[in-house]
Amino acid sequence: MREVFILCALATLLYLVSCCEKETHYLKDEKCCKKCGPGKRMLVDDNCEDPRCQDCQNGEYQSGYTSNTMCERQPSCDTNLHFLPQLNPSKTRLIECQCKPGYYCTQDDDCDSCREHTVCKQGQRVVKQGSPFIDTVCQACENGSFSTHHSADTCKIWTICKYGYDKNAPGSSTSDRICLDGTPIYRTVIGVGVAALLIVIIITIVAVFHMIKRSKELIKIPKQTENIRCLNIRNFPQDADVERAIQPLNQQQPQEDFDESTPVSPTSSNMTENGNVVDQEQGKEHVYPRLESNSYS
């Protein structure tokens, strides 16, 4: 008899457990009681079949059926920490805080703080745009390309200078290659060649002019010499004077001087103590300019 009672109790318990749905009901005092729905909490469980429930307050939520008397609290998304404000918080599900644009959550499962997105600098490009949950991924521009502003989506290829144009500035990761606009190399070479040719022509003209001037001076010199010779011949003594001038100085013979003066009568004034007459010297004759000789008059 006792064994039969135990079997009946077990069967009743199994029936009660099997008839209580786990999501919407719970077992209390061997009774299948009803739970409060999502977004609500249970005030008093005095009536197992029809409990009294109350809505969760603002900032609280209840995501499923429950027999708890308290709701779960929503996370505090402080705008001072770069979170977006919760305008219409839900009472039936958990609201995760979301960072404002330009920031991302530091943790995958729980966004408890926000961090600013990495800004790709000049010379870099954005490989992957940032989101509220991941940071921006940057990459340096490859050789032969550049970017001039922050957060560039792509890197531009350096400008290819046309044939014959020189590179004024080489390209870099932050600047483009600069070509000399309108100044090709062949024009520069032609300009330099023309300038050199003009210089050679000018030097040649100056040299020819100098040679002509020099030759004229050399022609004038013989004429001046001939004039001087003619002038000397005109002024040179003629006849006997010429012969006397060209005779060697050592072959000229002295000429005797003849005294053509009249005899002087002897007087006491012109007589010596021995009775000799004293000859009076004549004054010097007027001297005319002539060639010097070794003889004296």
Side-chain angles (χ1 to χ4, degrees), residues 52-95:
R52 289 183 294 174
C53 299
Q54 185 180 17
D55 294 338
C56 295
Q57 297 180 1
N58 292 333
E60 296 179 345
Y61 77 98
Q62 188 59 254
S63 59
Y65 290 89
T66 183
S67 59
N68 293 331
T69 58
M70 297 182 62
C71 296
E72 299 289 339
R73 292 191 59 84
Q74 293 279 12
S76 176
C77 301
D78 190 357
T79 57
N80 295 324
L81 299 177
H82 309 293
F83 286 108
L84 292 175
Q86 293 182 350
L87 301 178
N88 296 315
S90 176
K91 295 182 178 181
T92 59
R93 63 183 180 88
L94 175 64
I95 299 297

Short mmCIF file of all heavy atoms in Angstrom, two decimals, residues 52-95:
data_model
loop_
_atom_site.label_atom_id
_atom_site.label_comp_id
_atom_site.label_asym_id
_atom_site.label_seq_id
_atom_site.Cartn_x
_atom_site.Cartn_y
_atom_site.Cartn_z
N ARG A 52 0.22 39.84 -9.50
CA ARG A 52 0.16 41.28 -9.76
C ARG A 52 1.56 41.74 -10.24
O ARG A 52 2.54 41.55 -9.55
CB ARG A 52 -0.25 42.03 -8.51
CG ARG A 52 -1.71 41.80 -8.13
CD ARG A 52 -2.11 42.64 -6.92
NE ARG A 52 -1.39 42.21 -5.72
CZ ARG A 52 -1.48 42.86 -4.54
NH1 ARG A 52 -2.21 43.97 -4.45
NH2 ARG A 52 -0.83 42.38 -3.49
N CYS A 53 1.57 42.34 -11.41
CA CYS A 53 2.83 42.78 -12.05
C CYS A 53 2.81 44.30 -12.21
O CYS A 53 1.76 44.93 -12.28
CB CYS A 53 3.01 42.11 -13.39
SG CYS A 53 3.10 40.29 -13.32
N GLN A 54 4.00 44.90 -12.33
CA GLN A 54 4.15 46.35 -12.50
C GLN A 54 5.23 46.63 -13.55
O GLN A 54 6.23 45.92 -13.64
CB GLN A 54 4.53 47.01 -11.17
CG GLN A 54 4.58 48.53 -11.22
CD GLN A 54 4.96 49.14 -9.89
OE1 GLN A 54 5.49 48.44 -9.01
NE2 GLN A 54 4.67 50.42 -9.72
N ASP A 55 5.01 47.71 -14.34
CA ASP A 55 5.98 48.09 -15.37
C ASP A 55 7.30 48.55 -14.73
O ASP A 55 7.31 49.18 -13.65
CB ASP A 55 5.43 49.20 -16.24
CG ASP A 55 4.24 48.76 -17.08
OD1 ASP A 55 4.11 47.53 -17.30
OD2 ASP A 55 3.45 49.64 -17.48
N CYS A 56 8.36 48.25 -15.42
CA CYS A 56 9.68 48.72 -14.96
C CYS A 56 9.75 50.24 -15.10
O CYS A 56 9.13 50.84 -15.99
CB CYS A 56 10.79 48.07 -15.79
SG CYS A 56 10.94 46.27 -15.59
N GLN A 57 10.51 50.88 -14.26
CA GLN A 57 10.67 52.33 -14.30
C GLN A 57 11.65 52.71 -15.41
O GLN A 57 12.32 51.87 -16.00
CB GLN A 57 11.17 52.82 -12.94
CG GLN A 57 10.19 52.56 -11.79
CD GLN A 57 10.72 53.06 -10.47
OE1 GLN A 57 11.80 53.63 -10.39
NE2 GLN A 57 9.94 52.87 -9.41
N ASN A 58 11.74 54.03 -15.65
CA ASN A 58 12.69 54.52 -16.66
C ASN A 58 14.12 54.19 -16.23
O ASN A 58 14.51 54.37 -15.07
CB ASN A 58 12.55 56.02 -16.84
CG ASN A 58 11.23 56.40 -17.47
OD1 ASN A 58 10.63 55.61 -18.22
ND2 ASN A 58 10.73 57.61 -17.18
N GLY A 59 14.89 53.75 -17.20
CA GLY A 59 16.26 53.35 -16.89
C GLY A 59 16.34 51.90 -16.44
O GLY A 59 17.44 51.44 -16.13
N GLU A 60 15.21 51.19 -16.47
CA GLU A 60 15.18 49.78 -16.11
C GLU A 60 14.57 48.98 -17.26
O GLU A 60 13.90 49.53 -18.13
CB GLU A 60 14.35 49.56 -14.85
CG GLU A 60 14.92 50.23 -13.61
CD GLU A 60 14.04 50.00 -12.39
OE1 GLU A 60 12.88 49.58 -12.56
OE2 GLU A 60 14.52 50.26 -11.26
N TYR A 61 14.81 47.70 -17.21
CA TYR A 61 14.28 46.84 -18.27
C TYR A 61 14.11 45.43 -17.72
O TYR A 61 14.71 45.03 -16.71
CB TYR A 61 15.22 46.84 -19.48
CG TYR A 61 16.46 45.99 -19.30
CD1 TYR A 61 16.52 44.69 -19.81
CD2 TYR A 61 17.56 46.48 -18.59
CE1 TYR A 61 17.65 43.91 -19.64
CE2 TYR A 61 18.69 45.71 -18.42
CZ TYR A 61 18.74 44.43 -18.95
OH TYR A 61 19.85 43.65 -18.78
N GLN A 62 13.25 44.66 -18.39
CA GLN A 62 13.07 43.23 -18.12
C GLN A 62 12.89 42.58 -19.47
O GLN A 62 11.87 42.80 -20.15
CB GLN A 62 11.87 42.99 -17.21
CG GLN A 62 11.73 41.56 -16.73
CD GLN A 62 12.95 41.09 -15.95
OE1 GLN A 62 13.74 40.32 -16.45
NE2 GLN A 62 13.08 41.60 -14.72
N SER A 63 13.85 41.81 -19.87
CA SER A 63 13.87 41.28 -21.23
C SER A 63 12.98 40.05 -21.43
O SER A 63 12.65 39.72 -22.56
CB SER A 63 15.31 40.93 -21.63
OG SER A 63 15.83 39.96 -20.74
N GLY A 64 12.57 39.36 -20.37
CA GLY A 64 11.77 38.16 -20.53
C GLY A 64 10.77 37.99 -19.41
O GLY A 64 10.57 38.89 -18.58
N TYR A 65 10.13 36.82 -19.37
CA TYR A 65 9.20 36.53 -18.28
C TYR A 65 10.00 36.31 -17.00
O TYR A 65 11.05 35.66 -17.01
CB TYR A 65 8.37 35.29 -18.61
CG TYR A 65 7.38 35.52 -19.73
CD1 TYR A 65 7.73 35.31 -21.06
CD2 TYR A 65 6.08 35.93 -19.43
CE1 TYR A 65 6.82 35.52 -22.07
CE2 TYR A 65 5.16 36.14 -20.45
CZ TYR A 65 5.55 35.94 -21.76
OH TYR A 65 4.64 36.16 -22.78
N THR A 66 9.43 36.79 -15.89
CA THR A 66 10.17 36.70 -14.65
C THR A 66 9.21 36.64 -13.47
O THR A 66 8.07 37.10 -13.54
CB THR A 66 11.12 37.89 -14.49
OG1 THR A 66 11.87 37.74 -13.30
CG2 THR A 66 10.35 39.20 -14.42
N SER A 67 9.72 36.07 -12.41
CA SER A 67 9.01 36.08 -11.13
C SER A 67 9.72 36.97 -10.12
O SER A 67 9.35 37.03 -8.95
CB SER A 67 8.91 34.65 -10.57
OG SER A 67 10.21 34.10 -10.37
N ASN A 68 10.76 37.70 -10.60
CA ASN A 68 11.51 38.61 -9.73
C ASN A 68 10.69 39.86 -9.46
O ASN A 68 9.86 40.30 -10.28
CB ASN A 68 12.84 38.98 -10.37
CG ASN A 68 13.77 37.79 -10.48
OD1 ASN A 68 13.72 36.86 -9.67
ND2 ASN A 68 14.63 37.81 -11.51
N THR A 69 10.96 40.46 -8.32
CA THR A 69 10.24 41.68 -7.93
C THR A 69 11.01 42.95 -8.31
O THR A 69 10.56 44.05 -7.99
CB THR A 69 10.00 41.66 -6.42
OG1 THR A 69 11.26 41.55 -5.73
CG2 THR A 69 9.11 40.48 -6.02
N MET A 70 12.17 42.81 -8.99
CA MET A 70 12.98 43.98 -9.40
C MET A 70 13.37 43.84 -10.86
O MET A 70 13.60 42.73 -11.36
CB MET A 70 14.25 44.10 -8.53
CG MET A 70 13.93 44.34 -7.05
SD MET A 70 15.44 44.56 -6.05
CE MET A 70 16.14 46.02 -6.81
N CYS A 71 13.43 44.99 -11.53
CA CYS A 71 13.86 45.04 -12.94
C CYS A 71 15.37 45.26 -13.03
O CYS A 71 16.00 45.76 -12.09
CB CYS A 71 13.13 46.14 -13.69
SG CYS A 71 11.34 45.90 -13.83
N GLU A 72 15.92 44.95 -14.17
CA GLU A 72 17.34 45.21 -14.41
C GLU A 72 17.53 46.67 -14.82
O GLU A 72 16.69 47.28 -15.47
CB GLU A 72 17.85 44.29 -15.52
CG GLU A 72 17.73 42.81 -15.21
CD GLU A 72 18.73 42.38 -14.15
OE1 GLU A 72 19.74 43.10 -13.94
OE2 GLU A 72 18.50 41.33 -13.51
N ARG A 73 18.68 47.27 -14.44
CA ARG A 73 18.96 48.66 -14.78
C ARG A 73 19.70 48.74 -16.12
O ARG A 73 20.57 47.94 -16.44
CB ARG A 73 19.81 49.32 -13.69
CG ARG A 73 19.07 49.49 -12.37
CD ARG A 73 19.87 50.38 -11.42
NE ARG A 73 20.12 51.70 -12.00
CZ ARG A 73 19.24 52.70 -11.92
NH1 ARG A 73 18.06 52.54 -11.32
NH2 ARG A 73 19.53 53.87 -12.46
N GLN A 74 19.30 49.76 -16.85
CA GLN A 74 19.99 50.03 -18.11
C GLN A 74 21.37 50.68 -17.79
O GLN A 74 21.53 51.36 -16.79
CB GLN A 74 19.17 50.98 -18.99
CG GLN A 74 17.88 50.40 -19.52
CD GLN A 74 18.12 49.53 -20.74
OE1 GLN A 74 19.26 49.18 -21.06
NE2 GLN A 74 17.05 49.13 -21.40
N PRO A 75 22.39 50.48 -18.66
CA PRO A 75 23.69 51.12 -18.43
C PRO A 75 23.57 52.63 -18.56
O PRO A 75 22.76 53.16 -19.33
CB PRO A 75 24.58 50.52 -19.51
CG PRO A 75 23.64 50.07 -20.56
CD PRO A 75 22.39 49.64 -19.87
N SER A 76 24.38 53.33 -17.79
CA SER A 76 24.39 54.79 -17.82
C SER A 76 25.31 55.27 -18.94
O SER A 76 26.54 55.09 -18.89
CB SER A 76 24.86 55.34 -16.47
OG SER A 76 24.94 56.74 -16.51
N CYS A 77 24.73 55.88 -19.96
CA CYS A 77 25.50 56.38 -21.11
C CYS A 77 25.70 57.88 -20.94
O CYS A 77 24.85 58.70 -21.37
CB CYS A 77 24.79 56.08 -22.42
SG CYS A 77 24.50 54.31 -22.70
N ASP A 78 26.78 58.26 -20.28
CA ASP A 78 27.04 59.66 -19.96
C ASP A 78 27.55 60.38 -21.22
O ASP A 78 28.53 59.98 -21.84
CB ASP A 78 28.08 59.74 -18.85
CG ASP A 78 28.22 61.16 -18.30
OD1 ASP A 78 27.56 62.07 -18.84
OD2 ASP A 78 29.01 61.34 -17.34
N THR A 79 26.87 61.47 -21.57
CA THR A 79 27.29 62.23 -22.76
C THR A 79 28.63 62.91 -22.55
O THR A 79 29.32 63.24 -23.54
CB THR A 79 26.22 63.28 -23.09
OG1 THR A 79 25.99 64.13 -21.96
CG2 THR A 79 24.92 62.60 -23.50
N ASN A 80 29.01 63.17 -21.30
CA ASN A 80 30.32 63.77 -21.03
C ASN A 80 31.46 62.81 -21.34
O ASN A 80 32.62 63.24 -21.47
CB ASN A 80 30.42 64.21 -19.57
CG ASN A 80 29.45 65.33 -19.25
OD1 ASN A 80 29.18 66.21 -20.08
ND2 ASN A 80 28.87 65.31 -18.04
N LEU A 81 31.16 61.54 -21.46
CA LEU A 81 32.16 60.54 -21.80
C LEU A 81 32.06 60.15 -23.27
O LEU A 81 32.49 59.06 -23.65
CB LEU A 81 31.97 59.30 -20.92
CG LEU A 81 32.13 59.52 -19.41
CD1 LEU A 81 31.85 58.24 -18.65
CD2 LEU A 81 33.52 60.06 -19.09
N HIS A 82 31.49 61.05 -24.10
CA HIS A 82 31.41 60.90 -25.56
C HIS A 82 30.42 59.80 -25.97
O HIS A 82 30.56 59.20 -27.03
CB HIS A 82 32.78 60.61 -26.15
CG HIS A 82 33.85 61.57 -25.73
ND1 HIS A 82 33.85 62.90 -26.09
CD2 HIS A 82 34.94 61.38 -24.93
CE1 HIS A 82 34.90 63.49 -25.56
NE2 HIS A 82 35.58 62.60 -24.84
N PHE A 83 29.38 59.55 -25.13
CA PHE A 83 28.33 58.61 -25.51
C PHE A 83 27.16 59.37 -26.10
O PHE A 83 26.92 60.55 -25.78
CB PHE A 83 27.86 57.82 -24.28
CG PHE A 83 28.83 56.77 -23.82
CD1 PHE A 83 29.54 56.94 -22.65
CD2 PHE A 83 29.01 55.62 -24.56
CE1 PHE A 83 30.43 55.98 -22.22
CE2 PHE A 83 29.89 54.64 -24.14
CZ PHE A 83 30.62 54.82 -22.97
N LEU A 84 26.39 58.68 -26.94
CA LEU A 84 25.14 59.25 -27.45
C LEU A 84 24.07 59.17 -26.37
O LEU A 84 23.99 58.18 -25.62
CB LEU A 84 24.68 58.50 -28.69
CG LEU A 84 25.55 58.66 -29.95
CD1 LEU A 84 25.05 57.75 -31.07
CD2 LEU A 84 25.55 60.12 -30.41
N PRO A 85 23.24 60.19 -26.27
CA PRO A 85 22.18 60.14 -25.25
C PRO A 85 21.11 59.10 -25.60
O PRO A 85 20.81 58.86 -26.77
CB PRO A 85 21.61 61.56 -25.27
CG PRO A 85 21.89 62.08 -26.65
CD PRO A 85 23.20 61.46 -27.06
N GLN A 86 20.50 58.48 -24.57
CA GLN A 86 19.40 57.51 -24.76
C GLN A 86 18.09 58.28 -24.73
O GLN A 86 17.57 58.63 -23.66
CB GLN A 86 19.45 56.45 -23.67
CG GLN A 86 20.65 55.54 -23.75
CD GLN A 86 20.62 54.46 -22.68
OE1 GLN A 86 19.80 54.48 -21.76
NE2 GLN A 86 21.52 53.49 -22.79
N LEU A 87 17.52 58.53 -25.88
CA LEU A 87 16.30 59.32 -25.97
C LEU A 87 15.07 58.50 -25.59
O LEU A 87 14.22 58.96 -24.82
CB LEU A 87 16.15 59.88 -27.39
CG LEU A 87 17.32 60.78 -27.88
CD1 LEU A 87 17.06 61.22 -29.32
CD2 LEU A 87 17.47 61.99 -26.95
N ASN A 88 14.93 57.31 -26.10
CA ASN A 88 13.79 56.44 -25.80
C ASN A 88 14.29 55.08 -25.34
O ASN A 88 14.33 54.11 -26.12
CB ASN A 88 12.89 56.28 -27.04
CG ASN A 88 12.26 57.60 -27.47
OD1 ASN A 88 11.76 58.35 -26.63
ND2 ASN A 88 12.29 57.86 -28.77
N PRO A 89 14.71 55.00 -24.08
CA PRO A 89 15.25 53.71 -23.60
C PRO A 89 14.16 52.65 -23.55
O PRO A 89 13.02 52.91 -23.18
CB PRO A 89 15.77 54.05 -22.21
CG PRO A 89 14.99 55.24 -21.78
CD PRO A 89 14.72 56.04 -23.01
N SER A 90 14.54 51.46 -23.95
CA SER A 90 13.59 50.34 -23.96
C SER A 90 13.48 49.73 -22.57
O SER A 90 14.44 49.74 -21.78
CB SER A 90 14.04 49.29 -24.97
OG SER A 90 13.19 48.17 -24.92
N LYS A 91 12.30 49.18 -22.27
CA LYS A 91 12.08 48.49 -20.99
C LYS A 91 12.03 46.98 -21.16
O LYS A 91 11.86 46.25 -20.18
CB LYS A 91 10.78 48.97 -20.36
CG LYS A 91 10.80 50.44 -19.95
CD LYS A 91 9.49 50.84 -19.28
CE LYS A 91 9.52 52.29 -18.84
NZ LYS A 91 8.24 52.70 -18.16
N THR A 92 12.17 46.56 -22.40
CA THR A 92 12.08 45.12 -22.66
C THR A 92 13.41 44.51 -23.12
O THR A 92 13.49 43.28 -23.25
CB THR A 92 11.01 44.84 -23.72
OG1 THR A 92 11.36 45.53 -24.91
CG2 THR A 92 9.64 45.29 -23.24
N ARG A 93 14.41 45.35 -23.36
CA ARG A 93 15.70 44.80 -23.79
C ARG A 93 16.83 45.72 -23.31
O ARG A 93 16.61 46.90 -23.01
CB ARG A 93 15.76 44.64 -25.30
CG ARG A 93 15.64 45.94 -26.08
CD ARG A 93 15.61 45.70 -27.58
NE ARG A 93 15.50 46.95 -28.32
CZ ARG A 93 16.53 47.68 -28.69
NH1 ARG A 93 17.77 47.29 -28.38
NH2 ARG A 93 16.34 48.80 -29.36
N LEU A 94 18.01 45.14 -23.27
CA LEU A 94 19.19 45.88 -22.83
C LEU A 94 19.64 46.82 -23.94
O LEU A 94 19.77 46.43 -25.10
CB LEU A 94 20.31 44.91 -22.47
CG LEU A 94 21.67 45.53 -22.10
CD1 LEU A 94 21.55 46.37 -20.83
CD2 LEU A 94 22.71 44.45 -21.94
N ILE A 95 19.87 48.09 -23.57
CA ILE A 95 20.36 49.09 -24.52
C ILE A 95 21.86 49.29 -24.25
O ILE A 95 22.25 49.71 -23.16
CB ILE A 95 19.61 50.41 -24.38
CG1 ILE A 95 18.13 50.22 -24.68
CG2 ILE A 95 20.21 51.45 -25.32
CD1 ILE A 95 17.84 49.78 -26.07
#
